[in-house]
Amino acid sequence: MEQFPVLAVGDFMLISLREDMSDTQVMNLQDELSKQVTLIRPKGVLIDISSLEIVGSFLGRMLSDIAKIVRILGAEVVIVGMQPTVAMTTVELGKTLGSVLTARNVNSGMGMLRLKTMSSTSLAAASGRS
Amino acid sequence: MNTVRDEIMPLQSESDLITVRQAVRIWMVPEGFNILEQTKMVTAVSELARNAITYGGGGEARLQLLADAARRGIRVTIIDHGVGIEDITKAMVDGYSTGSGLGLGLGGSKRLVDEFNIWSEPGQGTRVEITRWKQ
């Protein structure tokens, strides 16, 4: 996992992608992150892509897949920190991150995760009471 | 039009893809291209170079710095010796796929650059030439 520094922040996991990853490293990330989520059971995962200088169709698809996988494994995902130039280029290329939640930086992503996981906790509590 | 600088780089592996991407950016910075222009060009090169490696069995990338009286530009030509593309018009449409369901991203790459030329011959390979000008 040394290629992808992982930081535990309370119930959340923060993972920072480094620039210029090879396709193999991106696929390893999907694998490793799935394992970590199963092991650590965070409520939410923040994926920081602020150091990425490009997000092409391959990485875009992989990020959206990773988000889906992590959600199936029981954690919410927010992708944070996409550079404005990367966002403009990705949209013009015709790719989007689909239904994946995104936020401008780690702070607002964390806030989003808190809201998301809070509502699911209270929902669970409410259904437990009924 | 003059070619100020000309270099051919191999395109066989994932690490070649990264090297070519980095080279394009390094060539563009001193020419005064801003970050958005760099990002668009590098992204287009990355899409096309990945096609050449994945579907074309590898090839090479030619980087050129161009200059005429009014402007300078960067041109990247991605060449592979793979199966080629039978119907280029169809392949340029967004979402067109060769069967793997991934799409070639040719239409998208075209939108990111000023000039886009493609030649392909079934069985002979594909050559895509993209250019970005700095006015």
Side-chain angles (χ1 to χ4, degrees):
Chain A
M1 226 21 212
E2 73 269 19
Q3 279 157 348
F4 318 106
V6 175
L7 201 70
V9 189
D11 288 333
F12 304 137
M13 220 167 95
L14 170 64
I15 182 160
S16 299
L17 303 199
R18 58 177 196 81
E19 60 166 305
D20 272 335
M21 287 185 296
S22 71
D23 294 0
T24 308
Q25 284 170 327
V26 177
M27 286 185 273
N28 287 343
L29 166 74
Q30 180 173 320
D31 208 38
E32 270 303 316
L33 189 56
S34 314
K35 281 181 196 152
Q36 295 282 328
V37 168
T38 315
L39 203 72
I40 300 171
R41 299 251 159 233
K43 282 185 179 170
V45 177
L46 287 167
I47 303 176
D48 178 14
I49 62 166
S50 57
S51 66
L52 298 188
E53 291 183 326
I54 66 165
V55 174
S57 50
F58 176 77
L59 193 52
R61 193 177 62 248
M62 291 304 282
L63 283 173
S64 139
D65 283 356
I66 287 171
K68 282 181 205 153
I69 292 167
V70 170
R71 201 176 296 144
I72 289 170
L73 294 174
E76 290 292 339
V77 184
V78 182
I79 290 178
V80 301
M82 185 186 272
Q83 311 243 4
T85 49
V86 174
M88 287 185 255
T89 303
T90 308
V91 169
E92 202 163 354
L93 184 64
K95 308 287 164 184
T96 60
L97 290 176
S99 58
V100 181
L101 290 177
T102 54
R104 203 154 53 155
N105 53 38
V106 172
N107 258 342
S108 49
M110 196 76 87
M112 217 180 241
L113 277 183
R114 283 210 185 90
L115 272 176
K116 274 264 164 193
T117 52
M118 224 195 291
S119 59
S120 64
T121 313
S122 43
L123 272 178
S127 63
R129 249 177 256 132
S130 62
Chain B
M1 192 192 322
N2 294 317
T3 300
V4 183
R5 194 174 166 192
D6 198 341
E7 200 174 315
I8 292 178
M9 306 176 75
L11 210 49
Q12 298 292 339
S13 64
E14 288 182 11
S15 59
D16 289 344
L17 173 63
I18 293 173
T19 310
V20 168
R21 263 189 337 220
Q22 286 170 341
V24 172
R25 197 178 283 275
I26 289 167
W27 282 39
M28 289 181 87
V29 173
E31 295 303 315
F33 286 100
N34 66 32
I35 296 191
L36 182 59
E37 291 167 326
Q38 293 168 32
T39 304
K40 286 182 175 182
M41 184 70 179
V42 173
T43 303
V45 167
S46 181
E47 295 292 302
L48 300 170
R50 175 173 285 105
N51 284 346
I53 294 170
T54 312
Y55 307 111
E60 52 272 341
R62 180 181 185 190
L63 277 62
Q64 289 169 286
L65 272 185
L66 308 173
D68 61 22
R71 56 187 187 172
R72 288 168 75 92
I74 181 165
R75 172 171 294 162
V76 178
T77 311
I78 305 287
I79 303 145
D80 74 52
H81 313 287
V83 295
I85 300 167
E86 257 183 56
D87 190 336
I88 290 178
T89 316
K90 243 192 222 170
M92 291 300 298
V93 175
D94 275 13
Y96 172 78
S97 153
T98 47
S100 57
L102 303 181
L104 293 174
L106 293 177
S109 302
K110 186 181 180 179
R111 285 193 292 273
L112 297 176
V113 296
D114 295 320
E115 287 170 27
F116 182 103
N117 291 300
I118 181 166
W119 300 267
S120 189
E121 198 69 49
Q124 301 290 307
T126 303
R127 181 158 58 99
V128 189
E129 180 195 275
I130 55 175
T131 311
R132 185 112 203 163
W133 293 103
K134 183 79 205 166
Q135 305 296 334

